[in-house]
Amino acid sequence: MSRFPVTEPFDSGLLEVGVRSPRAADGNQVYYEQVGNPEGMPVLYVHGGPGAGCSVRARGAFDPQRHRHILFDQRNCGRSLPHAGDPATDLSANTTENLIADMELLREHLGIDAWMLYGGSWGSTLIIAYAERHPERVTSVLIPSVTTTDREGVYWLYEGAGRIFPEAQDRFREYIPAAERGEDVFDLLAAYGRLMAHPDPDVRARTAQEWMTWEDAVISQEANGSPGAYSARVDDARLAFVRICAHYFSNIGFLEDGELIRNAGKLAGIPAIFVHGRMDLGCPAKTAWDLAKAWPGSELVVIEDSGHTGSTAFEAAIKDAIERLTAINPG
C-alpha cells in the first residue's frame, strides 16, 4: 500500500452525516484526513471491507508532492463514530446509498469540484456506485481488484469458493446452528450478523474468529495471503469488520442485482484502469472483464501471478496506472 512516503495529515476531522437528502442527523460522524499537497490533484481513497477502515500505510498510496490524497473511514468503522465494534451501534443507516451521500458531503465540505477515485474489493463497488450517480464529480478511476457485490459474486465468495476449500467451508457453515442457517448463503451471513450483535463479548469474539478463518482460507494460496492476513485484525477493528461485512453481504450490498455493470455505459468518458489478479479466488476476474466491456474506454490489466492480496507485478501495474491517470488530469 505504501508506494510513496507516508506523511502526516495536513487536515483531519469528523464530519456529521445524515440519512438522506434533505439530510437529517442520525448521530453518525465520518472521520476524514488529507495528506500530501493541498494544491495537488485530488484523489479519494475508498477502502474495502466493507468495514476495513483506513490504515496509516494507506497515506502512502499516492505521491505527496503531486496529489491531494483524501482518506475517510466509512460509517461505523475505523475512527468514525459510533463504532460497529459496540453491539449497541445501530447499523440500519449504514447503506450504500448513505455512503454515497457521505462521499458527496465530504467533497462539498472540502471544496473539491471533482476527484479521482481509488480503491479495490468492496471499495470498487462503492466507487462504481458513486460514479454512476455522480459522473460529473469523477475525473478518473483506478481500481485494484474489482468486485460489484452482486448476488453471483457474494454467492461465490461464501459458497462457491467452498468447492476449493470444502473443509474450511464446512467449518464456516457449521458454526451456525442448523436451525438458524436458513435456506441459502445469504441467510447464513445474516445469522453471522445477528451473532455479531450478541450481548456476550465471548460470542462476538468467537463469531468474528470463524468469519476471519474463512476469509483467510480463501486467500491462503496467495503469496501475500498468509499467515492470517484477515485474522491479524484485532479487537474492535476485527468486530466492526465482520459485523459490517455480514450486514452488507447478507443484503447483497444494498444494490439492485447487477445494476453496476448494467449501468456502466453512463461512465463513458471517465478514464478508468482496472488491475486484477488472475489468481484472485475471492473476486474472480470475470467480474473485472465484464465491467471493462461495459465501461466504454476503460482498460483492464490482468496480473498473472497475483491474487486478491497482490504481488510485485500487481503493485508495479498500480503505480504505472497512477502515473498515466495523473498525466491525463494533473489537477
Side-chain angles (χ1 to χ4, degrees), residues 3-203:
R3 303 176 193 97
F4 299 93
V6 173
T7 58
E8 290 298 309
F10 65 80
D11 173 49
S12 65
L14 284 167
L15 183 65
E16 295 277 353
V17 295
V19 178
R20 59 184 62 84
S21 182
R23 301 181 70 81
D26 61 10
N28 275 285
Q29 296 177 298
V30 168
Y31 174 84
Y32 70 91
E33 61 186 32
Q34 300 188 79
V35 298
N37 181 356
E39 304 301 321
M41 172 182 167
V43 182
L44 180 69
Y45 174 75
V46 185
H47 68 69
C54 290
S55 68
V56 171
R57 290 181 62 216
R59 295 173 182 169
F62 287 83
D63 186 342
Q65 300 300 316
R66 303 169 66 191
H67 298 101
R68 178 184 178 184
H69 185 197
I70 302 104
L71 305 91
F72 77 109
D73 293 329
Q74 294 159 33
R75 289 187 178 213
N76 309 127
C77 71
R79 291 148 291 187
S80 292
L81 300 171
H83 199 270
D86 180 351
T89 295
D90 180 11
L91 298 186
S92 62
N94 195 330
T95 65
T96 301
E97 287 302 323
N98 282 338
L99 296 186
I100 292 169
D102 295 347
M103 292 164 67
E104 263 298 271
L105 187 65
L106 178 60
R107 183 191 61 76
E108 294 169 357
H109 175 73
L110 297 178
I112 295 171
D113 182 62
W115 44 17
M116 174 183 172
L117 302 179
Y118 169 84
S121 197
W122 159 256
S124 70
T125 295
L126 187 52
I127 282 172
I128 300 162
Y130 174 92
E132 289 182 356
R133 287 154 180 76
H134 302 285
E136 73 285 358
R137 300 303 180 187
V138 181
T139 58
S140 60
V141 167
L142 172 54
I143 294 177
S145 303
V146 175
T147 184
T148 56
T149 316
D150 58 2
R151 178 176 289 273
E152 182 180 14
V154 175
Y155 178 88
W156 168 260
L157 179 57
Y158 294 102
E159 182 72 23
R163 292 178 177 269
I164 303 168
F165 306 105
E167 67 280 20
Q169 187 182 54
D170 276 358
R171 173 174 172 167
F172 182 67
R173 182 191 296 114
E174 291 171 7
Y175 174 73
I176 302 295
E180 299 176 26
R181 287 179 210 153
E183 297 183 356
D184 60 27
V185 69
F186 303 100
D187 294 331
L188 178 70
L189 301 181
Y192 267 91
R194 290 191 295 272
L195 285 178
M196 287 307 302
H198 197 283
D200 186 338
D202 290 336
V203 171

Side-chain angles (χ1 to χ4, degrees), residues 229-311:
Y230 283 94
S231 294
R233 297 179 188 276
V234 297
D235 303 329
D236 281 354
R238 171 189 288 211
L239 299 177
F241 177 87
V242 175
R243 190 175 174 209
I244 294 172
C245 279
H247 173 65
Y248 271 83
F249 294 147
S250 63
N251 288 286
I252 318 176
F254 298 98
L255 294 163
E256 182 180 331
D257 192 35
E259 70 168 276
L260 298 186
I261 290 179
R262 187 167 57 249
N263 294 332
K266 66 175 63 176
L267 302 177
I270 298 176
I273 301 174
F274 316 133
V275 180
H276 203 94
R278 177 79 71 191
M279 306 308 294
D280 190 333
L281 297 180
C283 303
K286 178 65 160 56
T287 301
W289 178 260
D290 289 343
L291 179 64
K293 288 197 299 181
W295 186 326
S298 65
E299 176 185 348
L300 172 61
V301 180
V302 177
I303 307 301
E304 299 296 337
D305 73 344
S306 179
H308 197 68
T309 55
S311 68

